Amino acid sequence: MAEGRRSSWEGRLVRLGFEDPQRAAGMLEDLDALDSHSPLATEQLITTLSESADPDLALHSLCAMAESLHRHGHDLGAFARTLEMDADFRRRLVSVLGASEALGRHLGVHPRHWYDLADPSLAGSRPSVEDVAAKLRTAVDAENPVDALRIEYRRLLIRLAARDLAEGLLVDEVAAVLADLAGGALETALHIARNEYFALHPGAADCRLAIVAMGKCGGRELNYVSDVDVLFVAEPLDGEPELPALKTATQLAAATMRICSAHTGEGTLWPVDAALRPEGKSGPLVRTLDSHLAYYQRWAKTWEFQALLKARPVAGDRELGRQYQETIGKLTWSAADREGFVADVQAMRRRVIDHIPAADVDRQLKLGPGGLRDVEFAVQLLQLVHGRSDESVRSGTTLVALESLTSSGYVGRTDGAVLADAYRFLRSMEHRIQLYRLRRTHHVPDDEADLRRLGRSLGFTKNPVTDLTAAWKKHALEVRRLHEKLFYRPLLAAVARIPGGEVRLTPEAAKQRLTALGYADPASALRHIEALSEGVSRRSSIQKALLPAMLGWFAESPDPDAGLLAFRTISDALGSTPWYLRQLRDEGASAERLAHLLASGRYAVDLLQRAPEATAMLADERELTPRTQEALLAEMSAAARRQDAPEAAVAAIRAVRRRELFRIAAADLSGLLDVEAVGDALTSVSVGTLTTALEVVRKAVAKGEPEPTRMSIVAMGRFGGHELGYGSDADVMFVHDPLPGADEKKATDFATQAATELRRMLALPGADPAVAIDADLRPEGRQGPLVRTLASYASYYARWSAVWEAQALLRADPLCGDADLCRSFRELIDPLRYPENGIRERDVMEIRRIKARVDAERLPRGADPATHTKLGRGGLADIEWTVQLLQLREAHRVPSLRTTRTLTALRAGVEAGLVDSSEADTLQAAWELATRIRNAIMLVRGRPGDSLPRDPRDLAAVAQICGYPPGESGRFSDDYLRTTRRAHNTVAHLFWDD
């Protein structure tokens, strides 16, 4: 390049993607200066450089290579002319130099290897295993065979990298050729080792030695840089003793490993790792076939059989290797019969993830969630389960096995295609990352320049960093989703016949699979499955595709049989609708949510069976967000207005309530709501229900006449505290205020009739759950009038109110009916519940006396005080009375304590310095756990309960809803006892002053 053009070139180089245009322009000048007759820095070269993964790196390596050719007196002119005239060669060379610093260094040391990239047959060449091995074997006769092996290996590696980077070779084939290269290198290393060993020990006993590749090499899916996992199996020659032969075999095996792994002037190939052998590093390096067999029959763990999926003889005595593969293979495919096999494989995958450093987990391409191991573990588990009877799925190559599993129906076609695409993309990323410096790494770089080169090498040329990251995250998300679906919920074609009827287990085999999944009555389960999937209709075809996953999801619950029965009931009701099965098939989250919900217990299932169309809301997580108070009131009022009869209007309100209860339960069971949010949502539904139903009954009682009074409903107890549970009654008081000029007796009669009619209509039997209204907390309890005027309440509280009523009023919140009357009632009771200067000491003593009586007398007969969530030690009553005593004492001077909500008041106490934060944390943890358990009991049984279940299955279901993994009911119970014991001690300090 002429000097005068340098400054103009720099601007163009910037536009072409060079990071350091000044340096690049200088290197282009240096290239031209090497041979004045054959200039290298042509327009074509610069354009090709700009299209590489890293133009600066490619140019730097090209300069070093050209200088090496010039320095060693090689024909630089031929190189320059070929570079200018052969576009294919130019593209291959620059692609390699721009993606791999390490291969660029190799070409700088061995520059004449450029002839391999100019080979016109390179693009179409498909070297066989034998071809690769033959080329590597030429190193055996070299003066320094160990270095010669490395040089030849790198030469073949450059040819492969060029086909990979410039010719668009599929990652499957790249991995297969890399495995063939490794096998050929091991064969050559063994030859070298034999020559060296018998030259030094001419009288040593000979042996038969086979090298069996494991892992990615065994599966013909090797990376550019990876440990090559192997096993060694040896036998003496016919008629020869075993021990001398094993000694020789051990020496040869160790030498073979050393030849491949050692660092020399030509670098190293890769580490050879024999740690997967029987007994690992503690066991002998070499064993006979019988010794291998004995170990696997008696001692091998589950993971060792999983590793044997990839076992493939690659070097040494081929017949011995074949015998090993045939003999051990029979054991491999019976591994899934071992007790706890599936759980062992799943636990091993969880351990792998748990051991990844937290700082690395998000950038781990291999081991992290959504990484390569997720695909491989899922495929291997399905292979080991189904490969026992289906030899077509026994390939050691992940993508081949996945294709077989898909075509055989064990994996859905779409899922199989998505998983294969994601795996290819992730493997391509892994290859490019390793190719850069030929180092074994699975960590996605976070450096901008590294990400840019990586993205460009994968074809993301416009916005390489952004587009690469988005594609990676997308594929990782798909992998994780499908891993969860396949790995933890194996698709059992045995039970849900494969589409097309190609494969079907016998009924007995299907029952065995169901039993293994945890179904208590596999015969009944099989009848449900047959009823759902029988026939050739579109409906049965979709069910056949759905059932394997659904069965696995049901199996994650303590009662999968109930989940399957409920699924059949819902499907019978909705199966003919156009959207139901399509939604479950196309919306993976919808099917999973439905399965978990149906298997969770009675409550949500009962709600859904009354109106199965509510299943539609499971398709979108956003649909499970509880409705706002305003939206509920608007919908319930509109539903009531569409009906003429009062009973029908209230029934319409109750139908909306039922649907909203299902929405809340579904969100709760899906882990989308915490305890406080559940209480808030249930309270909003009750407020909407009572408010709109009160409007209906008032109009019905008025019969077209003007209403003589205003009415409101005061929420009490958990209702007033916005802490309702699924099994809570609506504790209320009714208040009315006659309009000016109205007759008070007529007004009271009207209000009483309206309140009575409200309770009756909300309790009528019907398709929707009744609303239980409890008015026993009103003045004088059941002996007093159901409804009072505001003035009557004022008179009563002025003359007769006791301290326990002031305490009850702490939870009073007028929520329904006339807004002005609600405000007036609140103003009436505030001085009672937040008395000026706080309550007197004798009132404190009275509250403690009543609490002691409650503790002694109210616990149901036979209930265990340690496990009763409401009245037991450290339970809800303990915590709520403690908070309420604090409010009675201090709310007059701490306005933030003036709330009906327990946890809000507790937090206010901490902020005011009245409660130590650690004590508040203890009380909050116990309150939330007890509340969560009461809700979970209702969700499981469909009826309320206050004590931890004694039935093991119910206890397991409650524990699972509370977030504990299957099998950890004991830890759940222990955690509850420990949490409430701490709360009880805190209550002793704060409430009893102990």
Side-chain angles (χ1 to χ4, degrees):
M1 187 195 308
E3 179 68 28
R5 292 190 295 162
R6 177 167 180 168
S7 59
S8 63
W9 271 113
E10 289 182 13
R12 185 178 173 212
L13 292 174
V14 170
R15 293 191 296 274
L16 288 173
F18 286 82
E19 291 291 309
D20 190 342
Q22 187 175 4
R23 180 168 177 259
M27 286 190 288
L28 288 169
E29 282 186 349
D30 294 341
L31 273 177
D32 271 351
L34 289 174
D35 188 342
S36 59
H37 300 293
S38 304
L40 287 162
T42 62
E43 288 282 350
Q44 298 98 316
L45 175 65
I46 294 169
T47 301
T48 306
L49 286 168
S50 73
E51 295 168 352
S52 69
D54 187 338
D56 297 83
L57 174 63
L59 179 55
H60 177 269
S61 297
L62 180 62
C63 285
M65 180 182 169
E67 288 168 359
S68 180
L69 284 167
H70 180 70
R71 186 169 59 253
H72 290 94
H74 300 312
D75 191 349
L76 181 61
F79 173 72
R81 288 190 297 274
T82 308
L83 191 63
E84 180 181 12
M85 299 176 64
D86 189 339
D88 289 336
F89 165 65
R90 186 170 59 248
R91 179 167 45 82
R92 291 174 196 142
L93 177 64
V94 171
S95 295
V96 170
L97 297 180
S100 178
E101 182 185 71
L103 291 180
R105 286 198 306 270
H106 175 86
L107 285 168
V109 177
H110 301 282
R112 301 197 73 191
H113 282 176
W114 71 265
Y115 287 106
D116 283 284
L117 301 185
D119 180 356
S121 67
L122 181 61
S125 65
R126 296 290 186 271
S128 66
V129 176
E130 293 75 21
D131 290 339
V132 170
K135 288 182 172 66
L136 289 168
R137 200 158 43 241
T138 59
V140 173
D141 298 323
E143 183 179 347
N144 183 342
V146 175
D147 277 352
L149 172 60
R150 283 156 172 69
I151 294 168
E152 183 62 15
Y153 181 89
R154 290 280 193 275
R155 184 181 72 80
L156 296 175
L157 191 66
I158 286 174
R159 292 176 65 91
L160 175 62
R163 293 172 59 210
D164 179 10
L165 294 162
E167 309 296 345
L169 197 64
L170 284 176
V171 69
D172 321 32
E173 188 167 350
V174 174
V177 175
L178 285 167
D180 294 343
L181 275 170
L186 286 168
E187 183 74 66
T188 302
L190 180 57
H191 272 284
I192 296 170
R194 275 187 170 278
N195 291 346
E196 291 178 351
Y197 182 75
F198 285 108
L200 294 174
H201 307 89
D206 203 351
C207 65
R208 300 171 65 199
L209 176 63
I211 302 177
V212 179
M214 304 287 285
K216 290 193 179 300
C217 185
R220 292 195 79 219
E221 51 189 15
L222 198 61
N223 301 327
Y224 274 102
V225 185
S226 176
D227 289 359
V228 173
D229 297 309
V230 298
L231 299 176
F232 296 99
V233 57
E235 294 290 342
L237 300 180
D238 289 343
E240 297 295 325
E242 184 177 293
L243 287 178
L246 283 179
K247 179 181 178 182
T248 298
T250 301
Q251 293 296 320
L252 294 177
T256 300
M257 294 173 67
R258 184 179 65 254
I259 288 167
C260 293
S261 305
H263 289 267
T264 73
E266 292 292 342
T268 181
L269 294 182
W270 15 252
V272 179
D273 190 345
L276 291 177
R277 66 185 184 268
E279 299 182 72
K281 294 180 180 178
S282 302
L285 182 61
V286 180
R287 290 174 182 260
T288 64
L289 180 56
D290 286 344
S291 178
H292 276 278
L293 183 61
Y295 174 83
Y296 286 116
Q297 286 176 327
R298 188 170 183 184
W299 303 110
K301 297 181 175 62
T302 297
W303 69 264
E304 293 177 279
F305 288 107
Q306 188 177 351
L308 285 172
L309 274 174
K310 306 284 189 183
R312 178 176 65 93
V314 294
D317 191 305
R318 298 292 169 154
E319 177 58 25
L320 180 57
R322 187 195 62 76
Q323 291 175 0
Y324 175 91
Q325 191 172 29
E326 184 178 306
T327 303
I328 302 301
K330 294 175 183 177
L331 294 179
T332 304
W333 298 110
S334 62
D337 295 330
R338 294 158 63 99
E339 185 177 352
F341 167 78
V342 172
D344 286 348
V345 176
Q346 292 169 343
M348 182 165 61
R349 176 61 186 140
R350 287 193 292 268
R351 284 195 298 272
V352 169
I353 293 176
D354 290 343
H355 282 83
I356 303 173
D360 294 343
V361 69
D362 289 337
R363 307 199 75 81
Q364 247 290 349
L365 198 61
K366 177 181 177 181
L367 302 177
L372 294 162
R373 276 291 186 269
D374 271 355
V375 181
E376 291 158 2
F377 265 70
V379 169
Q380 289 164 20
L381 179 58
L382 289 169
Q383 282 184 279
L384 288 166
V385 169
H386 299 297
R388 291 174 295 177
S389 57
D390 189 347
E391 294 185 8
S392 70
V393 302
R394 293 184 178 183
S395 172
T397 306
T398 301
L399 286 170
V400 174
L402 178 57
E403 184 178 356
S404 299
L405 287 165
T406 303
S407 62
S408 297
Y410 301 110
V411 177
R413 295 184 187 280
T414 301
D415 291 346
V418 169
L419 205 57
D421 286 346
Y423 187 72
R424 286 190 174 95
F425 181 82
L426 296 176
R427 285 301 304 274
S428 296
M429 278 186 71
E430 182 182 44
H431 280 189
R432 298 294 196 271
I433 292 169
Q434 294 181 348
L435 190 58
Y436 176 49
R437 287 187 174 139
L438 287 183
R439 290 181 182 171
R440 186 170 69 93
T441 178
H442 311 285
H443 190 272
V444 179
D446 50 17
D447 178 77
E448 186 85 7
D450 288 338
L451 284 172
R452 180 174 180 272
R453 181 183 56 256
L454 177 60
R456 285 173 62 89
S457 75
L458 290 165
F460 299 104
T461 55
K462 188 174 182 181
N463 298 296
V465 176
T466 303
D467 293 348
L468 168 68
T469 303
W472 168 38
K473 295 299 183 185
K474 171 182 171 290
H475 284 300
L477 192 65
E478 290 287 5
V479 166
R480 192 58 187 171
R481 177 181 68 82
L482 292 172
H483 170 79
E484 291 288 331
K485 178 179 180 180
L486 301 176
F487 190 63
Y488 291 104
R489 307 153 185 92
L491 300 180
L492 301 178
V495 184
R497 298 171 192 160
I498 298 172
E502 297 171 7
V503 182
R504 183 181 180 182
L505 287 186
T506 64
E508 191 55 40
K511 289 178 186 177
Q512 291 175 5
R513 296 285 179 86
L514 288 165
T515 301
L517 279 174
Y519 287 81
D521 188 352
S524 293
L526 196 58
R527 286 195 295 273
H528 294 318
I529 291 161
E530 289 172 347
L532 286 164
S533 60
E534 197 66 57
V536 294
S537 67
R538 183 170 182 80
R539 171 181 171 180
S540 63
S541 296
I542 297 176
Q543 284 284 17
K544 289 170 187 176
L546 281 172
L547 274 166
M550 299 296 286
L551 291 167
W553 286 320
F554 296 145
E556 292 180 348
S557 74
D559 192 359
D561 300 78
L564 178 56
L565 174 59
F567 180 59
R568 180 180 175 184
T569 303
I570 300 297
S571 295
D572 286 346
L574 291 177
S576 59
T577 60
W579 57 268
Y580 169 66
L581 290 176
R582 183 175 67 239
Q583 172 187 308
L584 296 184
R585 180 195 64 197
D586 297 339
E587 301 286 345
S590 176
E592 185 174 3
R593 286 193 192 105
L594 178 63
H596 287 309
L597 187 145
L598 294 177
S600 66
R602 293 286 303 278
Y603 183 79
V605 172
D606 288 347
L607 291 172
L608 192 57
Q609 286 177 340
R610 287 167 175 160
E613 66 275 5
T615 306
M617 71 176 66
L618 299 176
D620 188 345
E621 188 174 289
R622 291 170 296 184
E623 281 295 309
L624 298 181
T625 302
R627 309 283 293 281
T628 64
Q629 185 73 77
E630 293 75 16
L632 285 171
L633 286 169
E635 184 179 2
M636 288 177 169
S637 294
R641 284 195 299 271
R642 287 193 289 269
Q643 307 298 325
D644 295 328
E647 288 83 358
V650 172
I653 293 169
R654 286 172 60 180
V656 176
R657 172 178 178 265
R658 181 253 312 133
R659 187 199 63 207
E660 294 308 311
L661 291 178
F662 175 77
R663 189 192 308 275
I664 296 166
D668 190 6
L669 290 165
S670 299
L672 303 177
L673 300 178
D674 60 25
V675 169
E676 286 187 90
V678 170
D680 254 335
L682 291 171
T683 300
S684 293
V685 171
S686 290
V687 170
T689 302
L690 295 185
T691 299
T692 51
L694 180 62
E695 292 174 1
V696 171
V697 298
R698 280 169 43 210
K699 291 178 181 177
V701 172
K703 297 178 181 177
E705 297 293 326
E707 297 178 24
T709 187
R710 301 179 300 163
M711 283 190 72
S712 290
I713 300 175
V714 182
M716 301 291 289
R718 305 193 76 78
F719 185 16
H722 298 256
E723 298 161 357
L724 281 177
Y726 296 108
S728 301
D729 291 346
D731 292 318
V732 302
M733 297 193 302
F734 293 98
V735 58
H736 78 105
D737 187 27
L739 296 175
D743 181 87
E744 183 171 326
K745 183 177 184 308
K746 289 183 179 179
T748 299
D749 289 344
F750 174 89
T752 301
Q753 188 177 352
T756 302
E757 192 68 359
L758 175 71
R759 298 175 76 185
R760 183 188 73 81
M761 285 194 183
L762 288 176
L764 285 173
D768 301 306
V771 183
I773 297 178
D774 188 340
D776 289 352
L777 288 178
R778 65 186 183 269
E780 302 180 71
R782 295 181 182 177
Q783 306 305 315
L786 179 63
V787 183
R788 287 177 180 264
T789 64
L790 183 64
S792 176
Y793 275 105
S795 175
Y796 175 84
Y797 288 134
R799 295 184 61 188
W800 307 109
S801 176
V803 67
W804 70 265
E805 288 179 296
Q807 182 182 355
L809 289 172
L810 286 169
R811 309 272 269 174
D813 195 357
L815 293 174
C816 311
D818 187 89
D820 290 335
L821 182 55
C822 287
R823 190 179 310 109
S824 298
F825 189 87
R826 193 175 289 111
E827 291 169 355
L828 168 66
I829 64 173
D830 276 355
L832 296 170
R833 55 184 176 176
Y834 312 131
E836 187 177 357
N837 300 321
I839 58 173
R840 296 166 295 182
E841 191 58 34
R842 69 181 185 184
D843 290 332
V844 173
M845 297 299 294
E846 176 65 8
I847 288 172
R848 287 174 175 164
R849 184 191 68 78
I850 296 171
K851 178 67 168 71
R853 183 176 175 184
V854 168
D855 290 347
E857 299 176 3
R858 291 281 302 280
L859 193 71
R861 180 175 297 179
D864 184 349
T867 59
H868 198 278
T869 58
K870 183 177 180 181
L871 300 174
R873 293 190 293 268
L876 293 171
D878 270 0
I879 298 161
E880 289 165 1
W881 281 61
T882 300
V883 173
Q884 289 159 16
L885 180 59
L886 177 69
Q887 290 177 284
L888 289 167
R889 281 174 151 177
E890 305 291 347
H892 68 282
R893 66 181 187 87
V894 181
S896 57
L897 282 171
R898 298 171 193 171
T899 175
T900 60
R901 303 170 187 245
T902 302
L903 294 185
T904 303
L906 185 59
R907 294 179 191 120
V910 174
E911 291 173 4
L914 301 173
V915 181
D916 182 79
S917 61
S918 63
E919 291 183 318
D921 289 345
T922 298
L923 295 180
Q924 178 171 334
W927 188 93
E928 288 178 341
L929 182 56
T931 302
R932 182 68 170 142
I933 289 171
R934 295 180 85 209
N935 281 343
I937 291 170
M938 184 68 180
L939 289 170
V940 170
R941 293 176 171 170
R943 63 179 188 276
D946 291 319
S947 293
L948 290 188
R950 294 177 181 174
D951 178 84
R953 179 168 284 188
D954 284 355
L955 181 64
V958 169
Q960 204 160 329
I961 290 174
C962 290
Y964 286 76
E968 297 203 5
S969 302
R971 183 166 72 86
F972 164 66
S973 298
D974 291 343
D975 284 351
Y976 176 76
L977 294 175
R978 181 170 58 254
T979 301
T980 52
R981 184 168 61 249
R982 290 173 179 169
H984 185 63
N985 293 336
T986 301
V987 168
H989 171 226
L990 296 177
F991 183 83
W992 300 103
D993 286 343
D994 283 354

